């Protein structure tokens, strides 16, 4: 069920070491049933393929000269599909 999958994802996030969680502090982790039709089209996902997750955003790698995030800004969204 979706509730069970969300619990598994939550337990997985809780198990991530603190040093990595700091890096993910501006990344939203979202559970969805499947990617949107627009996402499938953009990625050219074949109808028989299964996509388990998708990161949409940008990688900063601590390079402050690329963009400075304001408090509360989301750098990206990691969607997980059940």
């Amino acid at each position: 069920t979706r509730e069970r999958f969300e619990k598994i994802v939550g337990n997985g996030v809780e198990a991530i070491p603190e040093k990595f969680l700091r890096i993910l502090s501006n990344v939203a982790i979202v559970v969805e049933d499947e990617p949107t039709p627009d996402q499938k089209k953009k990625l050219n996902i074949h109808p028989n393929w299964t996509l388990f997750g998708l990161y949409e955003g940008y990688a900063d790698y601590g390079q402050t000269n690329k963009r400075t995030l304001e408090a509360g800004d989301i750098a990206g969204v990691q969607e997980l599909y059940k």
Side-chain angles (χ1 to χ4, degrees), residues 30-51:
V30 179
V31 173
E32 297 291 350
D33 290 329
E34 61 182 54
T36 66
D38 285 342
Q39 288 170 321
K40 289 179 181 179
K41 183 177 179 181
K42 177 181 171 184
L43 297 169
N44 198 27
I45 301 295
H46 189 276
N48 293 332
W49 293 354
T50 301
L51 186 64

Side-chain angles (χ1 to χ4, degrees), residues 51-62:
L51 186 64
F52 294 104
L54 175 64
Y55 177 81
E56 292 185 299
Y58 70 94
D60 184 25
Y61 302 114

Side-chain angles (χ1 to χ4, degrees), residues 26 58 60 67-75:
N26 286 339
Y58 70 94
D60 184 25
R67 178 173 183 254
T68 302
L69 291 176
E70 299 294 328
D73 277 358
I74 299 297

